[in-house]
Amino acid sequence: MMHKNSKSDSYAAAGVDITAGYRAVELMKQHIARTMVNGKSEDIGGFGGLFELDMTDITKPVLVSGTDGVGTKLKMAFLMDKHDTVGIDCVAMCVNDIICCGAKPLFFLDYIACGKNYPEKIAEIVSGIAEGCVQSGCELIGGETAEMPGFYSEDEYDLAGFSVGVVDKAKVLDKTKVKEGDVIIGLASSGVHSNGFSLVRKVFDVENVDLKAPVEALGGASLGETLLTPTKIYVKSMLELFKAVEVKAVSHITGGGFYENIPRSIPDGFCAKIDKASVKVLPIFKLLAETGNIPEHDMFNTFNMGVGMSVVVSKEDAEKAVEVLKAAGEDAYVIGEIIKSDEKVIIC
């Protein structure tokens, strides 16, 4: 709660309204409360976020951290004046990385920098962050909102976040277990996610088209709503998979697409051979390629193409892995196999 004497006319004259910041904190508490398991929402606004670590079934805890932002996808939120989903993207980009190590995300902190603090808009952004935390089972324990007039325009902001997870040392994923004949399973994405938007914006000339008009190639959905579709969060389904089978490697398909991300979980001397025909390419990627005349290699080297995460398991565990993922709500299917080769990725 704002102290009655907490007001600075001089600071306000410079473009910073500290009372708006206090108002934003009050508005966001209702959203933060949804994410709390061990903490209390009224603690938000202090100098540090507290989290009580549950050590049940953990012998040697290893902390895993991840940080990222939403990138130029935020431009779509500005153009659509829709700010309640980019927070999901921010959380997803962090927690999906953490799960690639076999770790469970524990908590999340956000950083919002804006030209002008509109409390209702800030609360709308935080509502999405809270939703992302709920989807990933982690707590939103704190954050920072910085009003920076003259640095950002009044209607724009930047959004970044930071998350920490934990895994027992014995359960950290070990890519050295990957061997020839292992199967690669793809988990469907929800769309473009939060990568490649500098190219997306250029191809579609988003500032000069009607983003709300229905597009036949997108099944009648608008370009704006399709591009703003939040990044899929895979945490809960992957945690179920870890319980069911031995997972050897996981890749979060972000910027750099297949060619840059899958090799990060494949040991030297082995290659991910992807069956191109098996990949369920989403309509938005087909429209992107056609509109921008983008070569197929560049598409697979920039976007997720409909596969937001890949998982490597032994051939004998593949069928069960797909079943577990589908039962957890994922559209999961085999997209390739591991072969011996110095080429990290082959798409054919």
Side-chain angles (χ1 to χ4, degrees), residues 193-253:
H193 284 184
S194 299
N195 307 103
F197 269 85
S198 293
L199 179 56
V200 169
R201 288 165 41 238
K202 179 181 178 181
V203 168
F204 291 131
D205 191 19
V206 295
E207 294 183 352
N208 296 299
V209 297
D210 184 358
L211 292 172
K212 297 183 179 181
V215 179
E216 185 177 351
L218 299 176
S222 72
L223 182 60
E225 65 181 305
T226 299
L227 293 176
L228 264 185
T229 301
T231 304
K232 184 82 167 64
I233 293 177
Y234 301 98
V235 171
K236 291 182 179 179
S237 54
M238 287 302 302
L239 289 175
E240 289 301 312
L241 184 64
F242 293 151
K243 296 175 188 176
V245 302
E246 180 185 26
V247 177
K248 299 184 179 183
V250 180
S251 295
H252 183 199
I253 313 300

Side-chain angles (χ1 to χ4, degrees), residues 299-318:
M299 290 296 296
F300 276 94
N301 203 174
T302 307
F303 303 106
N304 67 62
M305 299 300 284
V307 177
M309 186 161 279
S310 67
V311 178
V312 178
V313 297
S314 63
K315 189 173 183 178
E316 53 266 31
D317 286 334

Side-chain angles (χ1 to χ4, degrees), residues 11-336:
Y11 210 3
V16 178
D17 183 357
I18 58 175
T19 60
Y22 301 137
R23 170 67 175 157
V25 170
E26 290 301 315
L27 290 175
M28 66 178 69
K29 282 184 177 180
Q30 61 179 311
H31 304 298
I32 296 170
R34 298 177 55 214
T35 75
M36 292 296 167
V37 176
N38 297 314
K40 296 181 179 179
S41 61
E42 57 260 36
D43 291 335
I44 295 296
F47 289 100
L50 303 179
F51 183 89
E52 182 179 351
L53 182 62
D54 182 0
M55 295 291 289
T56 305
D57 299 325
I58 298 178
T59 303
K60 292 185 177 181
V62 176
L63 296 179
V64 181
S65 60
T67 184
D68 211 334
V70 181
T72 63
K73 182 175 184 175
L74 290 176
K75 287 285 189 179
M76 300 304 305
F78 303 158
L79 291 169
M80 295 286 288
D81 194 23
K82 181 175 171 57
H83 311 280
D84 61 346
T85 61
V86 288
I88 300 174
D89 291 292
C90 191
V91 174
M93 297 306 293
C94 297
V95 298
N96 282 346
D97 279 355
I98 287 174
I99 202 69
C100 290
C101 298
K104 179 187 185 301
L106 298 173
F107 58 82
F108 186 87
L109 292 94
D110 63 74
Y111 176 76
I112 304 170
C114 57
K116 184 174 178 59
N117 188 330
Y118 296 103
E120 289 74 16
K121 180 186 286 187
I122 297 299
E124 191 177 353
I125 297 168
V126 173
S127 73
I129 296 171
E131 175 59 28
C133 288
V134 169
Q135 290 183 22
S136 57
C138 69
E139 295 186 12
L140 177 55
I141 64 170
E144 175 71 13
T145 302
E147 190 173 18
M148 301 168 64
F151 196 87
Y152 295 96
S153 66
E154 285 196 358
D155 292 324
E156 295 193 348
Y157 56 86
D158 199 5
L159 174 61
F162 172 85
S163 186
V164 172
V166 67
V167 59
D168 197 314
K169 188 173 183 179
K171 296 180 180 179
V172 174
L173 298 190
D174 182 4
K175 70 179 183 180
T176 63
K177 293 182 179 181
V178 172
K179 68 178 189 299
E180 186 176 19
D182 284 345
V183 171
I184 305 170
I185 297 169
L187 281 66
S189 69
S190 55
V192 183
H193 284 184
S194 299
N195 307 103
F197 269 85
S198 293
L199 179 56
V200 169
R201 288 165 41 238
K202 179 181 178 181
V203 168
F204 291 131
D205 191 19
V206 295
E207 294 183 352
N208 296 299
V209 297
D210 184 358
L211 292 172
K212 297 183 179 181
V215 179
E216 185 177 351
L218 299 176
S222 72
L223 182 60
E225 65 181 305
T226 299
L227 293 176
L228 264 185
T229 301
T231 304
K232 184 82 167 64
I233 293 177
Y234 301 98
V235 171
K236 291 182 179 179
S237 54
M238 287 302 302
L239 289 175
E240 289 301 312
L241 184 64
F242 293 151
K243 296 175 188 176
V245 302
E246 180 185 26
V247 177
K248 299 184 179 183
V250 180
S251 295
H252 183 199
I253 313 300
T254 55
F258 283 53
Y259 287 105
E260 292 294 330
N261 290 288
I262 295 180
R264 294 163 69 178
S265 64
I266 306 297
D268 291 341
F270 293 93
C271 169
K273 182 181 179 182
I274 305 297
D275 176 14
K276 183 171 59 179
S278 71
V279 177
K280 299 178 183 178
V281 179
L282 296 175
I284 185 61
F285 296 113
K286 295 177 181 178
L287 184 61
L288 255 172
E290 293 170 3
T291 305
N293 193 28
I294 304 172
E296 182 179 77
H297 178 276
D298 290 1
M299 290 296 296
F300 276 94
N301 203 174
T302 307
F303 303 106
N304 67 62
M305 299 300 284
V307 177
M309 186 161 279
S310 67
V311 178
V312 178
V313 297
S314 63
K315 189 173 183 178
E316 53 266 31
D317 286 334
E319 184 177 349
K320 183 176 181 181
V322 170
E323 289 177 356
V324 170
L325 289 168
K326 285 185 175 180
E330 301 293 345
D331 179 9
Y333 56 96
V334 174
I335 61 171

